[in-house]
Amino acid sequence: MNYIDSMTPDLLFKDFLERVESSSHAWLGDSEMGAGNGTLVDALNDFFAVRGKHVRPILVHLFSDMLGVEEDERLVEVAVAAEFIHNASLLHDDVVDNGMFRRALPTVNARWGNIVAVMGGDLMLSGAALKLTHIHNRLTQTALRVVAEMTHAAIAEVEARGNLLLSIEQLLRIAEGKTGALFGWCGAAASILANNPAAEAQLDAFGRKLGVVFQMADDVKDITGVDEGKPQFADIQSKTPSLLVLLAAQRNPSVMKRFKEAWGFPTVTRERTRELGLAVMCSGVLDEAMELMEREMEAALKLLGGYAQTPSGAQLILWTRQFAKNMVPKRGAA
């Protein structure tokens, strides 16, 4: 496979991602796998109709290619399971955050209600576990540990709401649990498929670090508004500490004061949310956040060790850099 810097991930992995999507939709109609018919399936059909970035299936493919795993049905099902776990977390997060829009469309909870959203997420988690059990028990065991870690991280994030004194280290630990754990599992799963225990811890560590980078980029996007599928300043409105908010508040007493006053009320109005967001943007912390993200990226890439010298490892690095680059605004664009 030739990796072209200007191509999008969807184009690079078009055939594989089509197989992943086909398997996902087939599961929705498979009563033996826990889906079938009814309200939950109708809601999930709507959810699946809007394509995401497919980062986790792409990572499964890249890691597996690096370890010499053939692109067979097992690989497709592992990629589907990774995407199911991720999507289940999105459904649950939207309920927790009372999110009304995702990928520029109404969320499942906005259209179908919280009960359907929660149960839909549960159904996808069970579907992921069943798919993995049919391949290898260790895949199921490690995936369930990741789900538990993601759950603990989600609770930690909720408990951190309104905490402007949260350290950057604490924020990144939450990011590792929420995002990095599943990224790391994509590498661990590829190692299990390759029967390569030595690679499992190494690729898990790389994936975890990479997930932290992607979460940092997501925090930047929340402030800069480059993500068209998500309302700008959503984290500020939900009082969720993010990288730029913490940097701005902890380095600028006037910004800290404005946030404390606004977050002291039960809810934050849209007008006040926008004022706070603009204060963060004007605080001068964007460059600092980008530098932190770039340092974390370099630390992640070092964890690949000798794999970085292989053709597939080089392809993984190229895709990683390109994807991260597309996640954040160009300097001076914010």
Side-chain angles (χ1 to χ4, degrees):
M1 181 183 296
N2 293 321
Y3 284 67
I4 302 174
D5 189 61
S6 60
M7 292 181 70
T8 65
D10 274 8
L11 289 176
L12 289 172
F13 304 100
K14 184 175 182 293
D15 292 342
F16 179 71
L17 293 179
E18 285 179 352
R19 292 174 66 189
V20 170
E21 288 198 349
S22 176
S23 177
S24 299
H25 285 286
W27 168 79
L28 282 175
D30 187 350
S31 58
E32 291 186 1
M33 286 292 288
N37 300 304
T39 302
L40 289 181
V41 174
D42 291 341
L44 292 179
N45 263 317
D46 280 354
F47 183 79
F48 284 161
V50 184
R51 287 172 59 95
K53 297 181 182 71
H54 291 132
V55 175
R56 291 143 195 90
I58 290 171
L59 281 175
V60 168
H61 188 289
L62 282 167
F63 283 129
S64 298
D65 190 47
M66 191 167 64
L67 295 176
V69 178
E70 293 184 8
E71 189 180 309
D72 57 16
E73 201 58 35
R74 296 181 310 154
L75 191 63
V76 172
E77 293 298 87
V78 168
V80 171
E83 192 74 341
F84 277 10
I85 293 170
H86 170 59
N87 284 331
S89 74
L90 297 184
L91 290 174
H92 291 163
D93 282 351
D94 285 338
V95 173
V96 172
D97 297 336
N98 196 30
M100 293 293 104
F101 292 93
R102 185 175 289 280
R103 298 168 184 167
L105 291 173
T107 56
V108 171
N109 53 296
R111 181 173 179 186
W112 298 84
N114 285 344
I115 294 175
V116 172
V118 171
M119 299 305 173
D122 292 349
L123 188 64
M124 275 200 284
L125 289 175
S126 64
L130 286 169
K131 283 179 176 292
L132 296 174
T133 299
H134 291 159
I135 303 171
H136 197 300
N137 282 336
R138 282 209 67 239
L139 288 172
T140 311
Q141 293 166 0
T142 53
L144 290 175
R145 290 194 195 103
V146 166
V147 171
E149 185 175 353
M150 292 171 68
T151 303
H152 284 296
I155 289 294
E157 184 180 62
V158 170
E159 291 175 341
R161 284 183 177 172
N163 183 5
L164 294 165
L165 299 179
L166 189 75
S167 71
I168 300 301
E169 290 74 19
Q170 289 172 311
L171 180 73
L172 298 187
R173 282 199 294 272
I174 292 173
E176 180 180 340
K178 280 193 62 182
T179 305
L182 187 53
F183 274 34
W185 181 80
C186 293
S191 303
I192 292 171
L193 290 177
N195 194 25
N196 187 343
E200 189 171 338
Q202 185 175 355
L203 298 187
D204 176 69
F206 165 76
R208 285 173 174 274
K209 200 75 165 176
L210 182 63
V212 171
V213 173
F214 277 42
Q215 188 59 54
M216 294 170 78
D218 198 58
D219 286 356
V220 171
K221 290 194 304 178
D222 182 72
I223 296 298
T224 59
V226 298
D227 187 350
E228 297 179 355
K230 180 181 176 183
Q232 190 177 16
F233 309 138
D235 289 339
I236 292 178
Q237 190 152 36
S238 66
K239 304 181 185 179
T240 301
S242 65
L243 181 61
L244 267 67
V245 168
L246 290 179
L247 289 175
Q250 293 175 10
R251 289 174 179 38
N252 190 318
S254 65
V255 174
M256 174 72 79
K257 180 180 178 182
R258 294 173 71 173
F259 267 89
K260 281 185 175 180
E261 291 174 350
W263 281 5
F265 290 91
T267 59
V268 187
T269 66
R270 289 184 180 181
E271 292 77 11
R272 196 67 184 275
T273 296
R274 179 169 175 77
E275 289 175 9
L276 294 172
L278 293 176
V280 173
M281 291 178 67
C282 295
S283 68
V285 297
L286 178 58
D287 284 345
E288 182 180 356
M290 297 287 286
E291 289 170 6
L292 284 172
M293 192 179 76
E294 288 169 7
R295 286 204 296 269
E296 288 292 311
M297 171 70 80
E298 292 308 312
L301 295 178
K302 286 181 180 178
L303 290 171
L304 279 178
Y307 288 114
Q309 308 306 317
T310 66
S312 298
Q315 292 169 348
L316 173 60
I317 291 172
L318 176 61
W319 176 82
T320 297
R321 290 189 184 281
Q322 182 63 30
F323 195 93
K325 179 182 176 181
N326 293 338
M327 290 273 286
V328 296
K330 296 179 180 178
R331 298 297 179 97

